Short mmCIF file of all heavy atoms in Angstrom, two decimals:
data_model
loop_
_atom_site.label_atom_id
_atom_site.label_comp_id
_atom_site.label_asym_id
_atom_site.label_seq_id
_atom_site.Cartn_x
_atom_site.Cartn_y
_atom_site.Cartn_z
N ARG O 1205 -93.21 115.05 -25.04
CA ARG O 1205 -93.41 113.61 -25.07
C ARG O 1205 -92.84 112.99 -26.36
O ARG O 1205 -93.43 112.12 -26.98
CB ARG O 1205 -94.91 113.26 -24.96
CG ARG O 1205 -95.51 113.61 -23.61
CD ARG O 1205 -96.98 113.14 -23.56
NE ARG O 1205 -97.58 113.43 -22.29
CZ ARG O 1205 -98.14 114.61 -21.98
NH1 ARG O 1205 -98.18 115.58 -22.89
NH2 ARG O 1205 -98.66 114.80 -20.77
N GLU O 1206 -91.67 113.50 -26.75
CA GLU O 1206 -91.03 112.94 -27.94
C GLU O 1206 -90.27 111.66 -27.58
O GLU O 1206 -89.63 111.54 -26.52
CB GLU O 1206 -90.05 113.95 -28.54
CG GLU O 1206 -90.75 115.17 -29.13
CD GLU O 1206 -89.77 116.13 -29.76
OE1 GLU O 1206 -88.54 115.79 -29.77
OE2 GLU O 1206 -90.19 117.20 -30.25
N ALA O 1207 -90.30 110.70 -28.49
CA ALA O 1207 -89.66 109.38 -28.24
C ALA O 1207 -88.15 109.49 -28.19
O ALA O 1207 -87.47 108.78 -27.44
CB ALA O 1207 -90.08 108.39 -29.32
N SER O 1208 -87.60 110.42 -29.00
CA SER O 1208 -86.13 110.55 -29.02
C SER O 1208 -85.61 111.06 -27.69
O SER O 1208 -84.55 110.62 -27.20
CB SER O 1208 -85.71 111.50 -30.15
OG SER O 1208 -86.32 112.81 -29.96
N ILE O 1209 -86.35 111.96 -27.08
CA ILE O 1209 -85.94 112.46 -25.77
C ILE O 1209 -86.03 111.35 -24.74
O ILE O 1209 -85.15 111.20 -23.88
CB ILE O 1209 -86.81 113.67 -25.37
CG1 ILE O 1209 -86.60 114.83 -26.37
CG2 ILE O 1209 -86.46 114.13 -23.96
CD1 ILE O 1209 -87.49 116.03 -26.10
N ARG O 1210 -87.12 110.57 -24.89
CA ARG O 1210 -87.27 109.45 -23.96
C ARG O 1210 -86.11 108.45 -24.12
O ARG O 1210 -85.60 107.91 -23.13
CB ARG O 1210 -88.60 108.74 -24.24
CG ARG O 1210 -88.86 107.50 -23.37
CD ARG O 1210 -88.85 107.85 -21.90
NE ARG O 1210 -89.10 106.64 -21.10
CZ ARG O 1210 -89.03 106.60 -19.79
NH1 ARG O 1210 -88.69 107.72 -19.13
NH2 ARG O 1210 -89.30 105.49 -19.13
N GLU O 1211 -85.67 108.26 -25.33
CA GLU O 1211 -84.54 107.33 -25.56
C GLU O 1211 -83.26 107.88 -24.94
O GLU O 1211 -82.47 107.12 -24.33
CB GLU O 1211 -84.37 107.14 -27.06
CG GLU O 1211 -83.30 106.12 -27.41
CD GLU O 1211 -83.21 105.88 -28.90
OE1 GLU O 1211 -84.02 106.46 -29.65
OE2 GLU O 1211 -82.28 105.13 -29.32
N GLN O 1212 -83.03 109.18 -25.05
CA GLN O 1212 -81.84 109.77 -24.43
C GLN O 1212 -81.89 109.64 -22.92
O GLN O 1212 -80.87 109.39 -22.25
CB GLN O 1212 -81.73 111.25 -24.82
CG GLN O 1212 -81.43 111.46 -26.30
CD GLN O 1212 -81.30 112.94 -26.66
OE1 GLN O 1212 -81.02 113.78 -25.79
NE2 GLN O 1212 -81.50 113.27 -27.92
N ILE O 1213 -83.11 109.84 -22.36
CA ILE O 1213 -83.26 109.70 -20.90
C ILE O 1213 -82.93 108.28 -20.48
O ILE O 1213 -82.23 108.06 -19.48
CB ILE O 1213 -84.70 110.06 -20.48
CG1 ILE O 1213 -84.93 111.57 -20.70
CG2 ILE O 1213 -84.95 109.68 -19.02
CD1 ILE O 1213 -86.38 111.99 -20.48
N ASN O 1214 -83.35 107.31 -21.24
CA ASN O 1214 -83.05 105.91 -20.90
C ASN O 1214 -81.55 105.63 -20.96
O ASN O 1214 -80.99 104.90 -20.13
CB ASN O 1214 -83.79 104.98 -21.85
CG ASN O 1214 -85.29 105.01 -21.64
OD1 ASN O 1214 -85.77 105.36 -20.54
ND2 ASN O 1214 -86.05 104.69 -22.67
N ILE O 1215 -80.90 106.21 -21.97
CA ILE O 1215 -79.44 105.99 -22.11
C ILE O 1215 -78.71 106.57 -20.91
O ILE O 1215 -77.83 105.94 -20.32
CB ILE O 1215 -78.93 106.60 -23.42
CG1 ILE O 1215 -79.49 105.82 -24.62
CG2 ILE O 1215 -77.40 106.59 -23.46
CD1 ILE O 1215 -79.18 106.46 -25.95
N VAL O 1216 -79.07 107.82 -20.53
CA VAL O 1216 -78.40 108.47 -19.40
C VAL O 1216 -78.64 107.69 -18.12
O VAL O 1216 -77.72 107.45 -17.32
CB VAL O 1216 -78.87 109.92 -19.26
CG1 VAL O 1216 -78.32 110.55 -17.99
CG2 VAL O 1216 -78.45 110.74 -20.47
N MET O 1217 -79.88 107.27 -17.91
CA MET O 1217 -80.20 106.54 -16.67
C MET O 1217 -79.55 105.15 -16.67
O MET O 1217 -79.21 104.61 -15.61
CB MET O 1217 -81.72 106.40 -16.52
CG MET O 1217 -82.42 107.74 -16.31
SD MET O 1217 -84.20 107.59 -16.02
CE MET O 1217 -84.19 106.85 -14.39
N ALA O 1218 -79.31 104.58 -17.86
CA ALA O 1218 -78.63 103.26 -17.93
C ALA O 1218 -77.13 103.39 -17.64
O ALA O 1218 -76.51 102.45 -17.12
CB ALA O 1218 -78.85 102.65 -19.31
N GLU O 1219 -76.53 104.51 -17.97
CA GLU O 1219 -75.09 104.71 -17.73
C GLU O 1219 -74.78 105.10 -16.30
O GLU O 1219 -73.64 104.92 -15.84
CB GLU O 1219 -74.56 105.79 -18.67
CG GLU O 1219 -74.55 105.35 -20.14
CD GLU O 1219 -74.08 106.47 -21.06
OE1 GLU O 1219 -73.98 107.61 -20.55
OE2 GLU O 1219 -73.84 106.21 -22.24
N MET O 1220 -75.75 105.65 -15.59
CA MET O 1220 -75.50 106.13 -14.24
C MET O 1220 -75.12 105.00 -13.27
O MET O 1220 -74.23 105.19 -12.42
CB MET O 1220 -76.74 106.88 -13.70
CG MET O 1220 -76.94 108.23 -14.40
SD MET O 1220 -78.34 109.14 -13.73
CE MET O 1220 -77.73 109.54 -12.11
N PRO O 1221 -75.70 103.80 -13.34
CA PRO O 1221 -75.27 102.73 -12.39
C PRO O 1221 -73.78 102.37 -12.52
O PRO O 1221 -73.12 102.12 -11.51
CB PRO O 1221 -76.16 101.56 -12.78
CG PRO O 1221 -77.38 102.17 -13.34
CD PRO O 1221 -76.90 103.38 -14.09
N SER O 1222 -73.27 102.34 -13.77
CA SER O 1222 -71.83 102.02 -13.93
C SER O 1222 -70.95 103.11 -13.33
O SER O 1222 -69.93 102.84 -12.70
CB SER O 1222 -71.49 101.82 -15.41
OG SER O 1222 -71.72 103.02 -16.14
#
Side-chain angles (χ1 to χ4, degrees):
R1205 293 184 179 85
E1206 292 182 3
S1208 59
I1209 297 176
R1210 177 59 180 173
E1211 184 176 357
Q1212 293 181 22
I1213 292 173
N1214 292 336
I1215 292 172
V1216 173
M1217 294 184 70
E1219 292 177 349
M1220 289 182 68
S1222 63

